[in-house]
Amino acid sequence: MDRLIEIGGIGIRLAVADEFGDALLSQAYDLFLRPTDSDVTVSGTLHVDAVRTVGCFDLDDLGEVVATGCNDLGESHLYFNGSNYTVGISPMPGMEMRCMEFAPDFSSATLRLVPGDRWNGFILDSMLRIFFSQVAVKSSAFLIHASVVTTPGGAHLFLGSSGTGKSTHSSLWLSNIPDAELLNDDNPLIKVGGDGKIYAAGTPWSGKTRCWRDMEAPLRSMTRLRQAAVNSYTELSDIEAFVAVMPGVSVIAHSRKLYGSVCATLGHVVENVRIGLLDCLPDDSAALLCHDNVSR
């Protein structure tokens, strides 16, 4: 079974073994599905193969562990064997890993799942996000861990460390800024359009918020949030702006090619989008102060 998914103009093909049927994708993807015979340019293909048992791989073949993490994706490990990267995800600590191996040029990847495994939907969603993140980087775009709202003037993005209050700040904009709407609450796509302008686009990955919007808007600002006792906005530029945004970008940084590509794209963003630091309380005045500064 083949599926064609288009996110922010970037197409990826999902080739799923017949054993899985057509129930692996959640409704979050509905608006992003395209007819398989449409003229969408395919930038990458994710193959989902059926295997008999979870963990049917040799750890020695995966290579060196170059990164680890534990977040909404589960407990994850990134391996590199000198030519290929492999992502392993354990849905819960102590569980067997489900693995996805990238082709050396990141144009495709293979995910191996067991038909009937209760975690298949979760794993596919997580791996699709990881795969798309690398494909996007090669298309002058990147996913970023952030919340973004739109106003008639364009999109405004809020990022920061986990627990900083990105979703709360977006909610404050929705309550205080006329015609503000939520575009994505966890992983929007930032891209350089064919016209050289910067856009924010919705994706199927919006955290716990059911906000899956297949639309985009010109990106007007990016604001890093930091909890504080007093609300204060500081505009950033050059290296300070780059450093404020880069930690939220999703990319396999161990790959020099991917990292170089995303740095070039982010450099263009920094030169063309207002970037700032908001020391803030979770209150209405913080949203109003931020809006006043980024809308000038």
Side-chain angles (χ1 to χ4, degrees), residues 91-128:
M92 300 287 287
M95 292 184 66
E96 288 276 8
M97 286 193 303
R98 283 71 168 168
C99 286
M100 176 178 69
E101 182 182 32
F102 286 97
D105 63 354
F106 297 98
S107 63
S108 66
T110 300
L111 171 63
R112 296 174 178 85
L113 299 176
V114 178
D117 183 358
R118 64 184 288 261
W119 291 100
N120 282 345
F122 171 82
I123 292 295
L124 178 59
D125 181 60
S126 299
M127 293 298 195
L128 265 172

PDB file of all heavy atoms in Angstrom, residues 91-128:
ATOM      1  N   PRO A  91       9.215   2.347  22.933  1.00  0.00           N
ATOM      2  CA  PRO A  91       8.025   3.095  23.362  1.00  0.00           C
ATOM      3  C   PRO A  91       7.992   3.362  24.862  1.00  0.00           C
ATOM      4  O   PRO A  91       7.531   4.405  25.307  1.00  0.00           O
ATOM      5  CB  PRO A  91       6.861   2.193  22.930  1.00  0.00           C
ATOM      6  CG  PRO A  91       7.424   1.343  21.839  1.00  0.00           C
ATOM      7  CD  PRO A  91       8.867   1.125  22.198  1.00  0.00           C
ATOM      8  N   MET A  92       8.493   2.394  25.621  1.00  0.00           N
ATOM      9  CA  MET A  92       8.572   2.522  27.073  1.00  0.00           C
ATOM     10  C   MET A  92       9.940   2.024  27.511  1.00  0.00           C
ATOM     11  O   MET A  92      10.516   1.132  26.872  1.00  0.00           O
ATOM     12  CB  MET A  92       7.474   1.694  27.756  1.00  0.00           C
ATOM     13  CG  MET A  92       6.058   2.092  27.379  1.00  0.00           C
ATOM     14  SD  MET A  92       5.552   3.652  28.134  1.00  0.00           S
ATOM     15  CE  MET A  92       5.327   3.120  29.831  1.00  0.00           C
ATOM     16  N   PRO A  93      10.506   2.598  28.590  1.00  0.00           N
ATOM     17  CA  PRO A  93      11.819   2.132  29.059  1.00  0.00           C
ATOM     18  C   PRO A  93      11.847   0.630  29.265  1.00  0.00           C
ATOM     19  O   PRO A  93      10.928   0.046  29.844  1.00  0.00           O
ATOM     20  CB  PRO A  93      11.983   2.877  30.393  1.00  0.00           C
ATOM     21  CG  PRO A  93      11.168   4.119  30.226  1.00  0.00           C
ATOM     22  CD  PRO A  93       9.970   3.698  29.420  1.00  0.00           C
ATOM     23  N   GLY A  94      12.901  -0.006  28.750  1.00  0.00           N
ATOM     24  CA  GLY A  94      13.054  -1.444  28.901  1.00  0.00           C
ATOM     25  C   GLY A  94      12.441  -2.272  27.792  1.00  0.00           C
ATOM     26  O   GLY A  94      12.691  -3.478  27.706  1.00  0.00           O
ATOM     27  N   MET A  95      11.619  -1.648  26.912  1.00  0.00           N
ATOM     28  CA  MET A  95      11.005  -2.391  25.816  1.00  0.00           C
ATOM     29  C   MET A  95      11.979  -2.529  24.651  1.00  0.00           C
ATOM     30  O   MET A  95      12.903  -1.742  24.503  1.00  0.00           O
ATOM     31  CB  MET A  95       9.725  -1.688  25.340  1.00  0.00           C
ATOM     32  CG  MET A  95       8.591  -1.699  26.338  1.00  0.00           C
ATOM     33  SD  MET A  95       7.074  -0.956  25.658  1.00  0.00           S
ATOM     34  CE  MET A  95       6.668  -2.141  24.375  1.00  0.00           C
ATOM     35  N   GLU A  96      11.743  -3.530  23.807  1.00  0.00           N
ATOM     36  CA  GLU A  96      12.566  -3.740  22.617  1.00  0.00           C
ATOM     37  C   GLU A  96      12.462  -2.538  21.681  1.00  0.00           C
ATOM     38  O   GLU A  96      11.402  -1.919  21.551  1.00  0.00           O
ATOM     39  CB  GLU A  96      12.105  -4.990  21.874  1.00  0.00           C
ATOM     40  CG  GLU A  96      12.442  -6.286  22.572  1.00  0.00           C
ATOM     41  CD  GLU A  96      13.859  -6.743  22.259  1.00  0.00           C
ATOM     42  OE1 GLU A  96      14.609  -5.974  21.636  1.00  0.00           O
ATOM     43  OE2 GLU A  96      14.196  -7.880  22.644  1.00  0.00           O
ATOM     44  N   MET A  97      13.581  -2.216  21.037  1.00  0.00           N
ATOM     45  CA  MET A  97      13.586  -1.101  20.095  1.00  0.00           C
ATOM     46  C   MET A  97      12.918  -1.490  18.777  1.00  0.00           C
ATOM     47  O   MET A  97      13.018  -2.617  18.324  1.00  0.00           O
ATOM     48  CB  MET A  97      15.020  -0.648  19.803  1.00  0.00           C
ATOM     49  CG  MET A  97      15.685   0.124  20.902  1.00  0.00           C
ATOM     50  SD  MET A  97      17.200   0.922  20.304  1.00  0.00           S
ATOM     51  CE  MET A  97      18.110  -0.505  19.681  1.00  0.00           C
ATOM     52  N   ARG A  98      12.239  -0.494  18.187  1.00  0.00           N
ATOM     53  CA  ARG A  98      11.794  -0.580  16.805  1.00  0.00           C
ATOM     54  C   ARG A  98      12.742   0.308  16.010  1.00  0.00           C
ATOM     55  O   ARG A  98      12.994   1.447  16.419  1.00  0.00           O
ATOM     56  CB  ARG A  98      10.369  -0.084  16.650  1.00  0.00           C
ATOM     57  CG  ARG A  98       9.295  -1.080  17.109  1.00  0.00           C
ATOM     58  CD  ARG A  98       9.233  -1.250  18.609  1.00  0.00           C
ATOM     59  NE  ARG A  98       8.021  -1.983  18.995  1.00  0.00           N
ATOM     60  CZ  ARG A  98       7.799  -2.473  20.196  1.00  0.00           C
ATOM     61  NH1 ARG A  98       8.731  -2.340  21.133  1.00  0.00           N
ATOM     62  NH2 ARG A  98       6.680  -3.100  20.467  1.00  0.00           N
ATOM     63  N   CYS A  99      13.269  -0.191  14.902  1.00  0.00           N
ATOM     64  CA  CYS A  99      14.363   0.515  14.229  1.00  0.00           C
ATOM     65  C   CYS A  99      14.014   0.964  12.810  1.00  0.00           C
ATOM     66  O   CYS A  99      13.280   0.279  12.092  1.00  0.00           O
ATOM     67  CB  CYS A  99      15.609  -0.369  14.171  1.00  0.00           C
ATOM     68  SG  CYS A  99      16.445  -0.536  15.764  1.00  0.00           S
ATOM     69  N   MET A 100      14.541   2.103  12.437  1.00  0.00           N
ATOM     70  CA  MET A 100      14.424   2.648  11.085  1.00  0.00           C
ATOM     71  C   MET A 100      15.819   2.999  10.592  1.00  0.00           C
ATOM     72  O   MET A 100      16.547   3.738  11.242  1.00  0.00           O
ATOM     73  CB  MET A 100      13.549   3.907  11.075  1.00  0.00           C
ATOM     74  CG  MET A 100      13.459   4.599   9.724  1.00  0.00           C
ATOM     75  SD  MET A 100      12.369   6.059   9.749  1.00  0.00           S
ATOM     76  CE  MET A 100      13.356   7.198  10.773  1.00  0.00           C
ATOM     77  N   GLU A 101      16.191   2.447   9.428  1.00  0.00           N
ATOM     78  CA  GLU A 101      17.513   2.692   8.861  1.00  0.00           C
ATOM     79  C   GLU A 101      17.405   3.642   7.678  1.00  0.00           C
ATOM     80  O   GLU A 101      16.611   3.430   6.757  1.00  0.00           O
ATOM     81  CB  GLU A 101      18.145   1.379   8.404  1.00  0.00           C
ATOM     82  CG  GLU A 101      19.552   1.553   7.839  1.00  0.00           C
ATOM     83  CD  GLU A 101      20.154   0.256   7.336  1.00  0.00           C
ATOM     84  OE1 GLU A 101      19.395  -0.619   6.857  1.00  0.00           O
ATOM     85  OE2 GLU A 101      21.382   0.105   7.422  1.00  0.00           O
ATOM     86  N   PHE A 102      18.221   4.703   7.696  1.00  0.00           N
ATOM     87  CA  PHE A 102      18.268   5.663   6.599  1.00  0.00           C
ATOM     88  C   PHE A 102      19.206   5.176   5.502  1.00  0.00           C
ATOM     89  O   PHE A 102      20.229   4.527   5.770  1.00  0.00           O
ATOM     90  CB  PHE A 102      18.805   7.018   7.086  1.00  0.00           C
ATOM     91  CG  PHE A 102      17.845   7.810   7.910  1.00  0.00           C
ATOM     92  CD1 PHE A 102      17.905   7.772   9.300  1.00  0.00           C
ATOM     93  CD2 PHE A 102      16.890   8.626   7.315  1.00  0.00           C
ATOM     94  CE1 PHE A 102      17.035   8.515  10.065  1.00  0.00           C
ATOM     95  CE2 PHE A 102      16.021   9.379   8.073  1.00  0.00           C
ATOM     96  CZ  PHE A 102      16.082   9.325   9.450  1.00  0.00           C
ATOM     97  N   ALA A 103      18.867   5.521   4.258  1.00  0.00           N
ATOM     98  CA  ALA A 103      19.833   5.378   3.174  1.00  0.00           C
ATOM     99  C   ALA A 103      20.930   6.410   3.395  1.00  0.00           C
ATOM    100  O   ALA A 103      20.707   7.443   4.050  1.00  0.00           O
ATOM    101  CB  ALA A 103      19.152   5.613   1.827  1.00  0.00           C
ATOM    102  N   PRO A 104      22.137   6.194   2.874  1.00  0.00           N
ATOM    103  CA  PRO A 104      23.239   7.138   3.109  1.00  0.00           C
ATOM    104  C   PRO A 104      22.924   8.574   2.713  1.00  0.00           C
ATOM    105  O   PRO A 104      23.419   9.506   3.350  1.00  0.00           O
ATOM    106  CB  PRO A 104      24.376   6.551   2.254  1.00  0.00           C
ATOM    107  CG  PRO A 104      24.095   5.090   2.210  1.00  0.00           C
ATOM    108  CD  PRO A 104      22.597   4.992   2.140  1.00  0.00           C
ATOM    109  N   ASP A 105      22.102   8.776   1.672  1.00  0.00           N
ATOM    110  CA  ASP A 105      21.786  10.144   1.227  1.00  0.00           C
ATOM    111  C   ASP A 105      20.477  10.668   1.814  1.00  0.00           C
ATOM    112  O   ASP A 105      20.003  11.737   1.436  1.00  0.00           O
ATOM    113  CB  ASP A 105      21.730  10.216  -0.301  1.00  0.00           C
ATOM    114  CG  ASP A 105      20.620   9.357  -0.892  1.00  0.00           C
ATOM    115  OD1 ASP A 105      19.962   8.612  -0.116  1.00  0.00           O
ATOM    116  OD2 ASP A 105      20.404   9.430  -2.114  1.00  0.00           O
ATOM    117  N   PHE A 106      19.857   9.900   2.733  1.00  0.00           N
ATOM    118  CA  PHE A 106      18.621  10.291   3.427  1.00  0.00           C
ATOM    119  C   PHE A 106      17.424  10.447   2.484  1.00  0.00           C
ATOM    120  O   PHE A 106      16.414  11.036   2.860  1.00  0.00           O
ATOM    121  CB  PHE A 106      18.814  11.597   4.224  1.00  0.00           C
ATOM    122  CG  PHE A 106      19.822  11.486   5.325  1.00  0.00           C
ATOM    123  CD1 PHE A 106      21.128  11.921   5.133  1.00  0.00           C
ATOM    124  CD2 PHE A 106      19.493  10.924   6.547  1.00  0.00           C
ATOM    125  CE1 PHE A 106      22.075  11.798   6.138  1.00  0.00           C
ATOM    126  CE2 PHE A 106      20.429  10.796   7.560  1.00  0.00           C
ATOM    127  CZ  PHE A 106      21.725  11.230   7.348  1.00  0.00           C
ATOM    128  N   SER A 107      17.522   9.891   1.275  1.00  0.00           N
ATOM    129  CA  SER A 107      16.395   9.970   0.347  1.00  0.00           C
ATOM    130  C   SER A 107      15.333   8.915   0.653  1.00  0.00           C
ATOM    131  O   SER A 107      14.190   9.016   0.179  1.00  0.00           O
ATOM    132  CB  SER A 107      16.880   9.802  -1.089  1.00  0.00           C
ATOM    133  OG  SER A 107      17.447   8.511  -1.276  1.00  0.00           O
ATOM    134  N   SER A 108      15.692   7.922   1.436  1.00  0.00           N
ATOM    135  CA  SER A 108      14.744   6.877   1.813  1.00  0.00           C
ATOM    136  C   SER A 108      15.146   6.301   3.162  1.00  0.00           C
ATOM    137  O   SER A 108      16.246   6.542   3.669  1.00  0.00           O
ATOM    138  CB  SER A 108      14.695   5.767   0.753  1.00  0.00           C
ATOM    139  OG  SER A 108      15.935   5.085   0.695  1.00  0.00           O
ATOM    140  N   ALA A 109      14.225   5.542   3.732  1.00  0.00           N
ATOM    141  CA  ALA A 109      14.490   4.864   5.002  1.00  0.00           C
ATOM    142  C   ALA A 109      13.605   3.637   5.065  1.00  0.00           C
ATOM    143  O   ALA A 109      12.565   3.562   4.395  1.00  0.00           O
ATOM    144  CB  ALA A 109      14.231   5.786   6.192  1.00  0.00           C
ATOM    145  N   THR A 110      14.010   2.662   5.878  1.00  0.00           N
ATOM    146  CA  THR A 110      13.239   1.430   6.037  1.00  0.00           C
ATOM    147  C   THR A 110      12.933   1.211   7.514  1.00  0.00           C
ATOM    148  O   THR A 110      13.845   1.174   8.350  1.00  0.00           O
ATOM    149  CB  THR A 110      14.007   0.217   5.479  1.00  0.00           C
ATOM    150  OG1 THR A 110      14.262   0.424   4.089  1.00  0.00           O
ATOM    151  CG2 THR A 110      13.187  -1.052   5.651  1.00  0.00           C
ATOM    152  N   LEU A 111      11.648   1.076   7.803  1.00  0.00           N
ATOM    153  CA  LEU A 111      11.172   0.828   9.162  1.00  0.00           C
ATOM    154  C   LEU A 111      10.628  -0.591   9.225  1.00  0.00           C
ATOM    155  O   LEU A 111       9.840  -1.000   8.364  1.00  0.00           O
ATOM    156  CB  LEU A 111      10.067   1.837   9.514  1.00  0.00           C
ATOM    157  CG  LEU A 111       9.281   1.614  10.806  1.00  0.00           C
ATOM    158  CD1 LEU A 111      10.190   1.699  12.027  1.00  0.00           C
ATOM    159  CD2 LEU A 111       8.144   2.635  10.905  1.00  0.00           C
ATOM    160  N   ARG A 112      11.040  -1.347  10.222  1.00  0.00           N
ATOM    161  CA  ARG A 112      10.604  -2.749  10.355  1.00  0.00           C
ATOM    162  C   ARG A 112       9.675  -2.889  11.558  1.00  0.00           C
ATOM    163  O   ARG A 112      10.068  -2.591  12.690  1.00  0.00           O
ATOM    164  CB  ARG A 112      11.825  -3.658  10.475  1.00  0.00           C
ATOM    165  CG  ARG A 112      12.692  -3.652   9.221  1.00  0.00           C
ATOM    166  CD  ARG A 112      13.985  -4.426   9.387  1.00  0.00           C
ATOM    167  NE  ARG A 112      14.758  -4.427   8.143  1.00  0.00           N
ATOM    168  CZ  ARG A 112      15.600  -3.443   7.803  1.00  0.00           C
ATOM    169  NH1 ARG A 112      15.782  -2.412   8.616  1.00  0.00           N
ATOM    170  NH2 ARG A 112      16.257  -3.504   6.650  1.00  0.00           N
ATOM    171  N   LEU A 113       8.445  -3.337  11.279  1.00  0.00           N
ATOM    172  CA  LEU A 113       7.433  -3.493  12.317  1.00  0.00           C
ATOM    173  C   LEU A 113       6.816  -4.880  12.258  1.00  0.00           C
ATOM    174  O   LEU A 113       6.840  -5.542  11.215  1.00  0.00           O
ATOM    175  CB  LEU A 113       6.323  -2.441  12.145  1.00  0.00           C
ATOM    176  CG  LEU A 113       6.720  -0.967  12.248  1.00  0.00           C
ATOM    177  CD1 LEU A 113       5.517  -0.078  11.953  1.00  0.00           C
ATOM    178  CD2 LEU A 113       7.291  -0.653  13.626  1.00  0.00           C
ATOM    179  N   VAL A 114       6.229  -5.294  13.382  1.00  0.00           N
ATOM    180  CA  VAL A 114       5.556  -6.584  13.467  1.00  0.00           C
ATOM    181  C   VAL A 114       4.054  -6.373  13.319  1.00  0.00           C
ATOM    182  O   VAL A 114       3.455  -5.626  14.112  1.00  0.00           O
ATOM    183  CB  VAL A 114       5.848  -7.269  14.821  1.00  0.00           C
ATOM    184  CG1 VAL A 114       5.088  -8.593  14.924  1.00  0.00           C
ATOM    185  CG2 VAL A 114       7.342  -7.510  14.991  1.00  0.00           C
ATOM    186  N   PRO A 115       3.399  -6.967  12.322  1.00  0.00           N
ATOM    187  CA  PRO A 115       1.944  -6.814  12.185  1.00  0.00           C
ATOM    188  C   PRO A 115       1.230  -7.195  13.482  1.00  0.00           C
ATOM    189  O   PRO A 115       1.545  -8.222  14.104  1.00  0.00           O
ATOM    190  CB  PRO A 115       1.598  -7.782  11.052  1.00  0.00           C
ATOM    191  CG  PRO A 115       2.849  -7.842  10.225  1.00  0.00           C
ATOM    192  CD  PRO A 115       3.977  -7.782  11.225  1.00  0.00           C
ATOM    193  N   GLY A 116       0.304  -6.348  13.900  1.00  0.00           N
ATOM    194  CA  GLY A 116      -0.442  -6.621  15.123  1.00  0.00           C
ATOM    195  C   GLY A 116       0.140  -6.016  16.378  1.00  0.00           C
ATOM    196  O   GLY A 116      -0.521  -6.008  17.430  1.00  0.00           O
ATOM    197  N   ASP A 117       1.347  -5.502  16.325  1.00  0.00           N
ATOM    198  CA  ASP A 117       1.962  -4.861  17.492  1.00  0.00           C
ATOM    199  C   ASP A 117       1.161  -3.611  17.862  1.00  0.00           C
ATOM    200  O   ASP A 117       0.926  -2.739  17.017  1.00  0.00           O
ATOM    201  CB  ASP A 117       3.403  -4.483  17.156  1.00  0.00           C
ATOM    202  CG  ASP A 117       4.157  -3.879  18.342  1.00  0.00           C
ATOM    203  OD1 ASP A 117       3.561  -3.715  19.428  1.00  0.00           O
ATOM    204  OD2 ASP A 117       5.345  -3.539  18.176  1.00  0.00           O
ATOM    205  N   ARG A 118       0.747  -3.519  19.116  1.00  0.00           N
ATOM    206  CA  ARG A 118      -0.087  -2.391  19.556  1.00  0.00           C
ATOM    207  C   ARG A 118       0.613  -1.047  19.451  1.00  0.00           C
ATOM    208  O   ARG A 118      -0.035  -0.001  19.471  1.00  0.00           O
ATOM    209  CB  ARG A 118      -0.550  -2.618  20.994  1.00  0.00           C
ATOM    210  CG  ARG A 118       0.570  -2.643  22.022  1.00  0.00           C
ATOM    211  CD  ARG A 118       0.030  -2.971  23.411  1.00  0.00           C
ATOM    212  NE  ARG A 118      -0.728  -1.866  23.959  1.00  0.00           N
ATOM    213  CZ  ARG A 118      -0.245  -0.980  24.840  1.00  0.00           C
ATOM    214  NH1 ARG A 118       1.008  -1.096  25.266  1.00  0.00           N
ATOM    215  NH2 ARG A 118      -0.993  -0.006  25.305  1.00  0.00           N
ATOM    216  N   TRP A 119       1.937  -1.050  19.327  1.00  0.00           N
ATOM    217  CA  TRP A 119       2.685   0.199  19.269  1.00  0.00           C
ATOM    218  C   TRP A 119       2.947   0.677  17.833  1.00  0.00           C
ATOM    219  O   TRP A 119       3.581   1.713  17.635  1.00  0.00           O
ATOM    220  CB  TRP A 119       4.033   0.040  19.990  1.00  0.00           C
ATOM    221  CG  TRP A 119       3.899  -0.116  21.472  1.00  0.00           C
ATOM    222  CD1 TRP A 119       3.960  -1.275  22.183  1.00  0.00           C
ATOM    223  CD2 TRP A 119       3.657   0.914  22.429  1.00  0.00           C
ATOM    224  NE1 TRP A 119       3.774  -1.029  23.524  1.00  0.00           N
ATOM    225  CE2 TRP A 119       3.593   0.315  23.697  1.00  0.00           C
ATOM    226  CE3 TRP A 119       3.488   2.306  22.328  1.00  0.00           C
ATOM    227  CZ2 TRP A 119       3.372   1.041  24.863  1.00  0.00           C
ATOM    228  CZ3 TRP A 119       3.269   3.031  23.494  1.00  0.00           C
ATOM    229  CH2 TRP A 119       3.212   2.401  24.732  1.00  0.00           C
ATOM    230  N   ASN A 120       2.454  -0.029  16.841  1.00  0.00           N
ATOM    231  CA  ASN A 120       2.794   0.307  15.464  1.00  0.00           C
ATOM    232  C   ASN A 120       2.406   1.727  15.060  1.00  0.00           C
ATOM    233  O   ASN A 120       3.175   2.431  14.397  1.00  0.00           O
ATOM    234  CB  ASN A 120       2.156  -0.696  14.498  1.00  0.00           C
ATOM    235  CG  ASN A 120       2.903  -2.003  14.425  1.00  0.00           C
ATOM    236  OD1 ASN A 120       4.043  -2.094  14.879  1.00  0.00           O
ATOM    237  ND2 ASN A 120       2.280  -3.030  13.873  1.00  0.00           N
ATOM    238  N   GLY A 121       1.217   2.164  15.419  1.00  0.00           N
ATOM    239  CA  GLY A 121       0.771   3.509  15.066  1.00  0.00           C
ATOM    240  C   GLY A 121       1.652   4.581  15.683  1.00  0.00           C
ATOM    241  O   GLY A 121       2.037   5.557  15.022  1.00  0.00           O
ATOM    242  N   PHE A 122       1.979   4.394  16.950  1.00  0.00           N
ATOM    243  CA  PHE A 122       2.843   5.336  17.657  1.00  0.00           C
ATOM    244  C   PHE A 122       4.234   5.382  17.029  1.00  0.00           C
ATOM    245  O   PHE A 122       4.797   6.453  16.786  1.00  0.00           O
ATOM    246  CB  PHE A 122       2.945   4.935  19.132  1.00  0.00           C
ATOM    247  CG  PHE A 122       3.977   5.692  19.925  1.00  0.00           C
ATOM    248  CD1 PHE A 122       3.690   6.946  20.436  1.00  0.00           C
ATOM    249  CD2 PHE A 122       5.237   5.151  20.145  1.00  0.00           C
ATOM    250  CE1 PHE A 122       4.650   7.652  21.173  1.00  0.00           C
ATOM    251  CE2 PHE A 122       6.200   5.841  20.865  1.00  0.00           C
ATOM    252  CZ  PHE A 122       5.897   7.100  21.382  1.00  0.00           C
ATOM    253  N   ILE A 123       4.790   4.206  16.739  1.00  0.00           N
ATOM    254  CA  ILE A 123       6.134   4.147  16.171  1.00  0.00           C
ATOM    255  C   ILE A 123       6.157   4.759  14.774  1.00  0.00           C
ATOM    256  O   ILE A 123       7.070   5.533  14.439  1.00  0.00           O
ATOM    257  CB  ILE A 123       6.640   2.690  16.127  1.00  0.00           C
ATOM    258  CG1 ILE A 123       6.875   2.168  17.559  1.00  0.00           C
ATOM    259  CG2 ILE A 123       7.924   2.595  15.318  1.00  0.00           C
ATOM    260  CD1 ILE A 123       7.977   2.890  18.314  1.00  0.00           C
ATOM    261  N   LEU A 124       5.175   4.437  13.946  1.00  0.00           N
ATOM    262  CA  LEU A 124       5.152   4.997  12.598  1.00  0.00           C
ATOM    263  C   LEU A 124       5.048   6.513  12.646  1.00  0.00           C
ATOM    264  O   LEU A 124       5.753   7.223  11.908  1.00  0.00           O
ATOM    265  CB  LEU A 124       3.987   4.424  11.801  1.00  0.00           C
ATOM    266  CG  LEU A 124       3.836   4.993  10.383  1.00  0.00           C
ATOM    267  CD1 LEU A 124       5.088   4.738   9.551  1.00  0.00           C
ATOM    268  CD2 LEU A 124       2.607   4.416   9.688  1.00  0.00           C
ATOM    269  N   ASP A 125       4.197   7.036  13.510  1.00  0.00           N
ATOM    270  CA  ASP A 125       4.054   8.491  13.627  1.00  0.00           C
ATOM    271  C   ASP A 125       5.379   9.129  14.037  1.00  0.00           C
ATOM    272  O   ASP A 125       5.804  10.140  13.460  1.00  0.00           O
ATOM    273  CB  ASP A 125       2.962   8.810  14.655  1.00  0.00           C
ATOM    274  CG  ASP A 125       2.736  10.306  14.817  1.00  0.00           C
ATOM    275  OD1 ASP A 125       2.378  10.975  13.834  1.00  0.00           O
ATOM    276  OD2 ASP A 125       2.924  10.813  15.947  1.00  0.00           O
ATOM    277  N   SER A 126       6.050   8.537  15.012  1.00  0.00           N
ATOM    278  CA  SER A 126       7.330   9.075  15.482  1.00  0.00           C
ATOM    279  C   SER A 126       8.400   8.995  14.394  1.00  0.00           C
ATOM    280  O   SER A 126       9.143   9.960  14.165  1.00  0.00           O
ATOM    281  CB  SER A 126       7.808   8.301  16.719  1.00  0.00           C
ATOM    282  OG  SER A 126       6.886   8.412  17.785  1.00  0.00           O
ATOM    283  N   MET A 127       8.470   7.870  13.711  1.00  0.00           N
ATOM    284  CA  MET A 127       9.491   7.693  12.687  1.00  0.00           C
ATOM    285  C   MET A 127       9.217   8.558  11.454  1.00  0.00           C
ATOM    286  O   MET A 127      10.161   9.060  10.821  1.00  0.00           O
ATOM    287  CB  MET A 127       9.585   6.225  12.288  1.00  0.00           C
ATOM    288  CG  MET A 127      10.113   5.308  13.378  1.00  0.00           C
ATOM    289  SD  MET A 127      11.813   5.711  13.904  1.00  0.00           S
ATOM    290  CE  MET A 127      12.236   4.201  14.791  1.00  0.00           C
ATOM    291  N   LEU A 128       7.953   8.737  11.120  1.00  0.00           N
ATOM    292  CA  LEU A 128       7.614   9.632  10.016  1.00  0.00           C
ATOM    293  C   LEU A 128       8.103  11.044  10.303  1.00  0.00           C
ATOM    294  O   LEU A 128       8.630  11.728   9.426  1.00  0.00           O
ATOM    295  CB  LEU A 128       6.100   9.638   9.784  1.00  0.00           C
ATOM    296  CG  LEU A 128       5.550   8.701   8.718  1.00  0.00           C
ATOM    297  CD1 LEU A 128       4.027   8.695   8.763  1.00  0.00           C
ATOM    298  CD2 LEU A 128       6.029   9.116   7.332  1.00  0.00           C
TER     299      LEU A 128
END
